[in-house]
Amino acid sequence: GSGAGEAGTILTGTVSVAADGVTLDGIWFQQTYSEEDSKDQGACKLKTTETGTNLTIQNCIVQRMTGTAIPYGAIVHYGAAEGTLTLKNTELIAPVAGTADEINSASPSVIGVAAWAQTGENIDEAWKLVVTDCTIRTNGFAVFDRWNNATYTNTTFTGLEGVEGLDDIEVKTCYMALNNPHANDVTYDHCTFRNMRSWGMLVAGEELTVTDCTFDGTFDLSGSGSGIMFSGAVTETSTITVADNTFKNCSQEGGYCVNNTSAVEGEQVAPITVTGSTFIDCANKYLNQVNVEEAAASDTAYVVSGNTETYYETLAEAISSAPVGSAVYLLKDISETVSVSKNISIYTNGHAFSAANIQCAANYYVRQISGGYEVYYSAP
């Protein structure tokens, strides 16, 4: 179906898709829910049926209008054997998971899988979830992953802002994205997590890739919060890639950029390896068995400015990008000659690098300091 957008086409109640290859375009789905509806798990949703496959939702708004929880989510897969659920340029809004007075993790808020709750099994790899250029606003679960093949690209996950009555609701927990036990092959690429209530992402699955994402850790809950928290079923057999991400404002006491609390009885906890991170105003970076490999194999140096670390393939690039007064740290032996025309410090980190390889601009000079060299300006 094709609608005229939020001003022209508004649907309420239950929308069931039972056909293959359906595209819903430019529609505003307004979903209400009551305790009476809980007797019918199919009520008040946008859902696929057992014969519904290859559903595309684009240029739409899917908004839960009431505060109580909808079982399994606002958009729900109900058990087709295979197919793809695709969301493009769509905004999903779910104000509360729990009750009207208290936000907690009682129910997924946005995208769920009823098949798991009914059978205890994850969706087979033949069913795919693809989310591109979307915005997901929630104070509960943003995504309740039981898919074994899910990809999120250029998508923003954010806690709700400017919602009437929100200040009067107690926030207990909020997972912007939840990768459930043994949910395989889930990818987040170029996504943004902001205004997080507690965790940006809670991970307990077997296969996860998080690349080029931004986690803005302005947590609302005191004493806890992580950009990414690994818990539950992450074991030595898990395949986890966390690379080239940016973490901001993870400075709250008890909050961390990456926290690995994974533990399975009788099995060794799998260390999480984090590579190529950039940190901006983050006091607490890692907790519990996180292997940090900040630099890619091709990186030569990184720049530290305030609480920010940024990595570069060449020393010349690092010096060129370094703010005045910052420090550059070497990751390998350097034989190249570099030009410097600003006040910076270059620390060798035990690698070979000579002051003779620093060409200073007019009125700039180099001197040796503990652990490296300092380039400074002296007026003529």
Side-chain angles (χ1 to χ4, degrees), residues 18 38 84 93 103 163 284 304 325:
S38 66
T84 301
I93 307 170
I103 295 172
V163 176
N284 306 313
V304 176

Side-chain angles (χ1 to χ4, degrees), residues 33-88:
Y33 180 75
S34 66
E35 292 302 321
E36 186 66 22
D37 293 324
S38 66
K39 297 176 182 179
D40 175 11
Q41 295 177 344
C44 302
K45 297 180 178 61
L46 174 61
K47 68 177 185 177
T48 64
T49 68
E50 291 184 358
T51 57
T53 57
N54 299 312
L55 170 63
T56 297
I57 302 168
Q58 62 187 29
N59 307 315
C60 292
I61 298 175
V62 182
Q63 183 173 8
R64 204 168 73 198
M65 307 300 290
T66 55
T68 51
I70 293 179
Y72 316 138
I75 300 175
V76 184
H77 169 58
Y78 267 79
E82 62 182 21
T84 301
L85 172 59
T86 302
L87 289 86
K88 299 178 181 178

Side-chain angles (χ1 to χ4, degrees), residues 14-31:
T14 301
V15 177
S16 296
V17 178
D20 183 20
V22 172
T23 296
L24 304 175
D25 191 345
I27 300 173
W28 187 1
F29 298 93
Q30 293 185 351
Q31 299 172 327

Side-chain angles (χ1 to χ4, degrees), residues 210-212 240-247 258 272-279 286 290-297 299 311:
V210 184
T211 53
D212 293 298
I240 306 294
T241 299
V242 181
D244 303 321
N245 300 291
T246 297
F247 297 90
V258 180
I272 303 300
T273 299
V274 177
T275 63
S277 298
T278 295
F279 301 96
Y286 306 113
V290 178
N291 291 340
V292 182
E293 295 179 4
E294 305 294 6
D299 288 337
Y311 291 77

